[in-house]
Amino acid sequence: MVNNTFKIALDGPSGSGKSTLAKNLAKKYGFVYIDTGALYRTIGLFVARRGIASDDVDAIIACLPEIRIEMKLVDGGGRVYLGGTLIGDEIRTPEISKYASDVSKIPEVRAFLLETQRSIARENNVIMDGRDIGTVILPDAQVKLFVTASIEARAKRRYAELCEKGVETDYESVLNDMKWRDANDSGRKIAPAIPAEDAIMFDNSGMDIEETVNSAVEIIDKVYRK
Ligand code: DC
């Protein structure tokens, strides 16, 4: 099949500002924004609701056939539906973040979500944010950015985000959760969160949102012509 869509892969650790950057870029270019972490979080939510421990690999694999997960396009963004119900901020809690990180280590879970992610990119110009977009999901993406920032900068951002959402927490716990997730996500055997060979490293530690977006636009504009 001839595939003329334009694909931008944004990978990197949690709190690196990928999603804010991706949303801004999607708006600027009129591309569809896909938050692939939301898919892993939704599997985590399903498993947690079942009362299954996040490290009970066999039980998690056993319930996959029951999970009906869909990504539908609404207002230029992918929305996740679980069993026909729109999923919202219930997947953003620290508990579900841990579940998501654990379920994402299971090869069967990654295989289960592969086609949902790829099919959207076959039919739309996309900006996809995740951990393995440039390496596994869209190895043919025309632009691959590996977005990163110091762990302190990332923890501060995540803490501010959670406070804004009214989630009760403190900076130390957010920092510790982030250290744990960094090790869990980049140390795993399957699809670790590492840059693709042809990815551009993009460190935004000292940058605000506007600077981050402008720098990314400079990179993308060298490749993307309307
Ligand atoms: O981007 P996020 O923090 O919402 O992702 C939640 C978890 O899902 C994260 O710990 C790693 C995992 N994930 C992944 O393994 N692959 C992706 N493409 C996206 C997320």
Side-chain angles (χ1 to χ4, degrees):
M1 190 178 77
V2 180
N3 179 354
N4 290 322
T5 60
F6 196 91
K7 300 174 268 302
I8 300 175
L10 285 191
D11 290 305
S14 48
S16 58
K18 292 186 307 279
S19 63
T20 308
L21 174 60
K23 281 179 203 155
N24 277 280
L25 293 173
K27 211 173 183 187
K28 177 171 168 57
Y29 292 100
F31 284 15
V32 167
Y33 164 56
I34 304 295
D35 166 15
T36 62
L39 294 168
Y40 292 93
R41 287 173 178 273
T42 301
I43 303 281
L45 179 72
F46 183 96
V47 170
R49 280 179 177 167
R50 276 286 164 94
I52 297 170
S54 70
D55 60 356
D56 190 344
V57 175
D58 291 341
I60 294 168
I61 294 171
C63 70
L64 286 178
E66 289 175 60
I67 303 180
R68 195 159 60 81
I69 193 165
E70 293 164 284
M71 175 88 74
K72 294 186 192 169
L73 296 185
V74 181
D75 298 334
R79 300 286 165 83
V80 181
Y81 288 76
L82 177 63
T85 305
L86 178 64
I87 293 301
D89 276 348
E90 63 269 43
I91 56 171
R92 306 283 161 197
T93 65
E95 185 204 2
I96 300 303
S97 297
K98 182 173 188 312
Y99 262 90
S101 186
D102 277 341
V103 301
S104 72
K105 288 197 290 191
I106 305 172
E108 284 82 351
V109 169
R110 306 201 73 84
F112 181 76
L113 294 174
L114 185 82
E115 189 47 31
T116 303
Q117 297 169 81
R118 281 199 184 146
S119 61
I120 288 180
R122 269 197 292 272
E123 283 161 27
N124 304 275
N125 291 338
V126 291
I127 300 196
M128 211 172 260
D129 114 38
R131 303 294 190 288
D132 63 339
I133 309 305
T135 49
V136 178
I137 306 296
L138 305 175
D140 60 337
Q142 291 88 337
V143 177
K144 298 179 185 179
L145 297 181
F146 195 84
V147 188
T148 178
S150 69
I151 187 144
E152 291 77 16
R154 292 188 282 121
K156 259 190 223 156
R157 286 178 197 160
R158 180 52 57 91
Y159 176 61
E161 221 174 85
L162 290 171
C163 288
E164 205 171 293
K165 284 186 182 148
V167 177
E168 230 171 85
T169 183
D170 60 86
Y171 172 74
E172 281 304 313
S173 330
V174 174
L175 180 66
N176 286 332
D177 282 358
M178 200 157 264
K179 282 182 183 162
W180 179 86
R181 274 222 285 159
D182 272 7
N184 209 32
D185 293 345
S186 57
R188 68 188 179 206
K189 287 197 190 78
I190 179 169
I194 52 167
E197 265 178 27
D198 52 349
I200 296 168
M201 297 304 287
F202 191 86
D203 188 320
N204 65 11
S205 300
M207 297 185 200
D208 63 18
I209 294 171
E210 203 184 332
E211 288 165 329
T212 304
V213 173
N214 289 342
S215 309
V217 165
E218 250 177 60
I219 296 170
I220 296 164
D221 279 351
K222 286 188 186 137
V223 186
Y224 179 64
R225 299 269 174 273
K226 274 196 178 169

